[in-house]
Amino acid sequence: VLGCDPLAPQWAAQANSQADQALGAVVEGLLAQRAQARQVKDFVRADAVRDVLAQAGIQVEDSPQGARWRLAAPEEVTS
């Protein structure tokens, strides 16, 4: 339509950027809930949040500076 190619790289990059930002916001929100649960020693809730993230393909790594996340490799995803 009007000479616009929706598959052109500039559109794909913008869509991926928006998706990355949305994913980051959701994951950071869940990690904040998990950190709060851990702080009050509600480990059942903290583990539940981690399990939800794992099922969605998000690998959570805890460190002294806090939790970090990354997209899991396909073989790491739990179902």
Side-chain angles (χ1 to χ4, degrees):
V1 175
L2 301 176
C4 292
D5 179 5
L7 301 177
Q10 71 265 24
W11 304 119
Q14 182 179 358
N16 287 339
S17 175
Q18 289 172 340
D20 290 345
Q21 289 176 0
L23 175 62
V26 169
V27 172
E28 292 298 330
L30 288 170
L31 289 177
Q33 290 178 18
R34 182 173 176 263
Q36 183 180 24
R38 288 174 55 132
Q39 188 174 15
V40 297
K41 302 193 183 309
D42 185 351
F43 298 112
V44 171
R45 191 172 109 205
D47 289 346
V49 171
R50 184 183 196 119
D51 291 345
V52 166
L53 290 168
Q55 289 174 351
I58 307 295
Q59 179 81 32
V60 177
E61 299 170 356
D62 292 312
S63 74
Q65 292 79 31
R68 296 182 307 215
W69 66 275
R70 64 178 176 82
L71 295 176
E75 62 272 8
E76 296 175 316
V77 176
T78 59
S79 43

